[in-house]
Amino acid sequence: SQMAMISFAGPIVSLYISFTIPILLSLLDWSFPTVVVWMDHTHLFTYTLTDHVLRLAGTNFIIGAFNLVPISPLDGGRVIHAVVWHCSNESYAHKVSAYVAGVGGAALLGTGMYWLNIPLILISLFVVMVARSEYMLFQEASGSPSSSSPPSV
């Protein structure tokens, strides 16, 4: 469906940029002069502009790959929702999105707690909140009573 294609656009562009930049740098044999030098109390660090461009490519790869994770607030979750909606109905799409986001949020939360990674813990809590709201949308679309509890993590 159109929603799935639109959701794929952002991550695909990020991944395309992340692979294109290093290929262009190697094919064109571009090497930039050293432009950044600073001191860290005991060490002198030098980086070239090429290093920074390659870091930009790596960052684009990480963003694109993370965005394809099939949990609801991310583009991958929107793709799953659109595909399920296209194959069945809106109510079932909300239900699948809620459960996938709940499981994904729980996995992110466990990983964040294991590594004591505060940003990952915060992201996982946001994902769990989105899972709960998706479940409420499922209840509304299916006509289920709102007293039943949403999926818990």
Side-chain angles (χ1 to χ4, degrees):
S1 80
Q2 188 176 9
M3 183 179 164
M5 290 173 45
I6 291 170
S7 296
F8 261 129
I12 294 300
V13 168
S14 289
L15 294 172
Y16 176 77
I17 289 171
S18 72
F19 288 111
T20 303
I21 288 175
I23 291 171
L24 283 176
L25 286 175
S26 66
L27 287 177
L28 299 174
D29 194 28
W30 284 350
S31 59
F32 297 102
T34 301
V35 292
V36 180
V37 178
W38 72 87
M39 282 233 183
D40 174 6
H41 296 93
T42 58
H43 298 91
L44 178 67
F45 295 99
T46 60
Y47 289 99
T48 64
L49 188 55
T50 306
D51 294 333
H52 291 289
V53 171
L54 290 174
R55 282 198 182 103
L56 175 65
T59 302
N60 268 317
F61 177 78
I62 291 169
I63 290 170
F66 186 74
N67 234 351
L68 284 175
V69 173
I71 53 178
S72 192
L74 301 176
D75 288 330
R78 293 175 193 262
V79 170
I80 296 291
H81 186 273
V83 169
V84 172
W85 190 348
H86 182 72
C87 294
S88 60
N89 60 34
E90 179 184 8
S91 173
Y92 190 67
H94 287 305
K95 182 178 181 179
V96 169
S97 292
Y99 282 110
V100 170
V103 170
L108 286 175
L109 182 61
T111 304
M113 292 178 77
Y114 178 79
W115 292 106
L116 298 175
N117 187 324
I118 300 299
L120 191 57
I121 291 171
L122 293 175
I123 289 170
S124 68
L125 292 175
F126 175 72
V127 168
V128 168
M129 289 178 6
V130 170
R132 293 176 66 85
S133 67
E134 279 287 338
Y135 191 79
M136 287 184 228
L137 287 172
F138 157 68
Q139 287 179 330
E140 286 177 16
S142 67
S144 298
S146 59
S147 62
S148 62
S149 63
S152 61
V153 179

